[in-house]
Amino acid sequence: MKQKTTTPVTTPSLGVALIPIVLTIGLLGIQLFYYDDFTPHIALAIGFAITAIVGWSQGSRWKDIESGAFHVLHVAMPSIATLIVVGMLVSTWIASGTVPTLIYYGLELIDPQWFLAASMLLCAVVSVSIGTSWTTVGTVGLALIGIGSAFDIPVYWTAGAVVSGAFFGDKISPLSDTTNLAAAVTETNVFDHIKNMMPTTIPSMIIAFVIYLFVGGSSVSDLSQLEQINSFKQGLADNFDIGFLPLLPLVVVMTLAFFKVSPIPALFAGFILGGVIAAANYGYNFNEILTYAHSGFKIDTGTDSLNSLLNRGGVTSMTWVITLMMFALAFGGALERTSCLESVVGAIMRTTKSFKGLQTNAILTSVATNAVSGDVYLSIALPGRMYGPEYNKLGYSRLNLSRAIEEGGTLVSPLIPWNAGGAFVMGALGLSVAGGDYSALLYIPLAFACWLSPVIGILYAQTGWFCKTAEEESETDTQAQQSTSNKIENPA
């Protein structure tokens, strides 16, 4: 019997590897800037098709390309499922009075002049405590959006502060999956990794805090928001039971998150409890709860601005961002399976001759992978795996690499709308770009802590500040071992 032969798969040259990337970016640019339409789904689908054609021309089989796309989608299914559950949770948390209660007490306790700075700090504390930016954004962040609306602060300013705080916590929490992933792929200790991120994290957070403090104070002076605040509070009090009971779902979710229960069961428990409280307190029947969970909560408070804030949630509110994630991730999976990403990163590595170039390229590679693949995990894992040996050759600690991929990976993820992180932020906070109004996307430049950190990291790379050599790391490890030994030999 004649043996079946297969065409060998080759890693494409840099020019060939760039074809699907450049053409897809071009399609996205034409749609956004020429047609003024931010719906990148089909452009990314065409990009996937172009990648498949390029891969096929280099010897890849369709089955392998398809497998690569489905593999990334499979890995991302927990994120997609989290988005669906958050949509359900938002609707029942409004119906049960959880979100209205948080907004009401926020209006009582938070001074508008401190609101943006306080929002960033609150989200940072919660995110560090529970180790997840997504849960922080979908719960505390959602309530802060409502409070900011009552203060008449533009939603993109509030969203910027929420994202800065939430993803700061995700970056430095030892409970965070991305923090542990960055340490794992670079073969570094997670606590050393967190400590080494402080030189970029602390300045970026301080700068962001000062900006939010200044903007909060200056904007409030121009607002006659007292009447608006009173109107919001009255509308909330008239339509919802403000008290401790509606806060129970939030307490349960935060407790489960603190004890490292997976996000999906933790959030689903919050959704169920919210539905039970909504039915018990307001008499909603089973069908109404299910309808809200699917299509979003609906109420007429008599105040249009309050209606627009409360009439949201449901699975259908997440379909735009979920399908965007799926298209982007499939495109990224095809690029990885056809070795296009590997070819581009390899070409960058071959041109890197110094530490400053290596560190800068590691940050920018994570940023670019985030933008092209739509997957934060790939943006950490790919450069983390590929750049590691180069740090050894130049005599520098891999802690520099772990910091670089966190800055370009974890922190940039929420700033790219078609990335899993950016899509989640837009869906959970209700940042709509429908009708040609792209003002909601202003949260991207206003999430100062997220983009300042990689900028400061690049500055350090050029100057050599806070960049450990392998020798310095070895000396630090020796001192730590001696200190531990002394404590054992001479206990207090």
Side-chain angles (χ1 to χ4, degrees):
M1 188 171 71
K2 189 176 181 180
Q3 195 169 16
K4 194 175 180 179
T5 60
T6 58
T7 306
V9 180
T10 59
T11 300
S13 65
L14 177 61
V16 173
L18 285 173
I19 290 174
I21 297 173
V22 171
L23 289 179
T24 303
I25 292 173
L27 288 172
L28 291 169
I30 291 170
Q31 188 174 25
L32 177 58
F33 298 109
Y34 183 77
Y35 292 107
D36 195 27
D37 180 13
F38 185 72
T39 49
H41 305 60
I42 306 306
L44 290 167
I46 296 173
F48 173 82
I50 295 171
T51 306
I53 293 170
V54 169
W56 174 75
S57 71
Q58 300 298 301
S60 295
R61 297 181 305 167
W62 164 250
K63 186 175 290 188
D64 294 330
I65 298 169
E66 182 183 59
S67 174
F70 287 157
H71 171 72
V72 175
L73 287 171
H74 174 73
V75 171
M77 279 308 297
S79 300
I80 293 172
T82 301
L83 270 170
I84 294 171
V85 176
V86 165
M88 297 160 58
L89 176 141
V90 168
S91 61
T92 59
W93 277 24
I94 296 174
S96 65
T98 304
V99 172
T101 297
L102 288 170
I103 295 172
Y104 185 90
Y105 286 137
L107 295 174
E108 286 274 318
L109 300 174
I110 299 177
D111 189 322
Q113 294 193 16
W114 303 85
F115 173 70
L116 292 175
S119 296
M120 185 192 76
L121 290 180
L122 176 60
C123 288
V125 170
V126 172
S127 188
V128 169
S129 301
I130 64 177
T132 166
S133 54
W134 282 34
T135 300
T136 304
V137 169
T139 55
V140 178
L142 175 65
L144 289 169
I145 289 291
I147 298 169
S149 297
F151 288 152
D152 208 18
I153 293 174
V155 67
Y156 41 82
W157 271 107
T158 307
V162 167
V163 170
S164 286
F167 283 82
F168 153 84
D170 196 315
K171 177 189 174 188
I172 67 164
S173 173
L175 304 176
S176 167
D177 53 356
T178 54
T179 302
N180 283 280
L181 175 62
V185 298
T186 56
E187 300 175 12
T188 57
N189 178 274
V190 67
F191 292 103
D192 291 338
H193 165 57
I194 292 171
K195 182 180 178 181
N196 194 56
M197 287 193 290
M198 291 303 143
T200 56
T201 300
I202 292 175
S204 62
M205 287 296 285
I206 291 174
I207 294 170
F209 179 82
V210 171
I211 293 173
Y212 293 136
L213 201 59
F214 172 77
V215 171
S218 63
S219 64
V220 170
S221 63
D222 298 327
L223 299 175
S224 55
Q225 87 277 81
L226 185 58
E227 185 177 341
Q228 168 105 337
I229 293 171
N230 289 333
S231 173
F232 265 58
K233 287 170 61 178
Q234 189 62 49
L236 292 170
D238 289 344
N239 291 277
F240 297 95
D241 178 19
I242 305 298
F244 173 75
L245 182 62
L247 294 179
L248 193 56
L250 176 64
V251 173
V252 169
V253 170
M254 289 302 172
T255 302
L256 292 174
F258 181 78
F259 286 104
K260 298 305 294 175
V261 174
S262 297
I264 293 173
L267 292 169
F268 196 82
F271 155 69
I272 293 294
L273 188 53
V276 169
I277 293 174
N281 257 16
Y282 305 102
Y284 296 123
N285 62 42
F286 183 64
N287 182 63
E288 287 175 314
I289 297 296
L290 295 184
T291 301
Y292 292 153
H294 179 263
S295 305
F297 183 70
K298 298 290 186 293
I299 191 172
D300 184 6
T301 63
T303 304
D304 290 340
S305 55
L306 188 56
N307 290 343
S308 64
L309 176 65
L310 298 176
N311 291 338
R312 63 174 62 205
V315 174
T316 55
S317 70
M318 295 294 182
T319 54
W320 191 92
V321 294
I322 289 172
T323 52
L324 176 58
M325 278 179 60
M326 293 178 69
F327 281 116
L329 292 171
F331 175 55
L335 286 172
E336 184 183 29
R337 185 57 60 96
T338 56
S339 297
C340 287
L341 285 179
E342 183 181 344
S343 177
V344 173
V345 173
I348 295 171
M349 287 172 57
R350 288 192 293 273
T351 63
T352 303
K353 306 298 181 185
S354 64
F355 170 76
K356 66 172 64 175
L358 180 63
Q359 184 73 0
T360 301
N361 285 339
I363 296 171
L364 296 180
T365 300
S366 288
V367 173
T369 307
N370 247 328
V372 172
S373 72
D375 182 21
V376 63
Y377 298 107
L378 187 60
S379 74
I380 292 173
L382 180 66
R385 290 196 307 261
M386 299 192 71
Y387 280 109
E390 300 303 311
Y391 281 80
N392 296 343
K393 290 177 185 177
L394 293 176
Y396 277 84
S397 168
R398 290 196 182 197
L399 288 170
N400 299 296
L401 174 59
S402 65
R403 184 174 70 197
I405 59 179
E406 277 266 61
E407 290 165 350
T410 303
L411 291 181
V412 173
S413 166
L415 308 184
I416 301 170
W418 54 86
N419 186 280
F424 180 85
V425 166
M426 293 181 67
L429 299 183
L431 303 177
S432 174
V433 292
D437 180 10
Y438 304 129
S439 61
L441 294 178
L442 289 173
Y443 87 89
I444 296 170
L446 300 180
F448 297 105
C450 289
W451 60 262
L452 277 171
S453 192
V455 168
I456 293 172
I458 291 173
L459 173 65
Y460 289 165
Q462 303 308 307
T463 60
W465 299 343
F466 302 106
C467 296
K468 277 190 174 184
T469 63
E471 185 178 348
E472 290 171 337
E473 182 186 13
S474 178
E475 289 175 0
T476 302
D477 291 342
T478 301
Q479 291 171 359
Q481 290 172 1
Q482 289 175 347
S483 175
T484 303
S485 177
N486 291 336
K487 287 180 181 178
I488 294 173
E489 292 174 3
N490 305 298

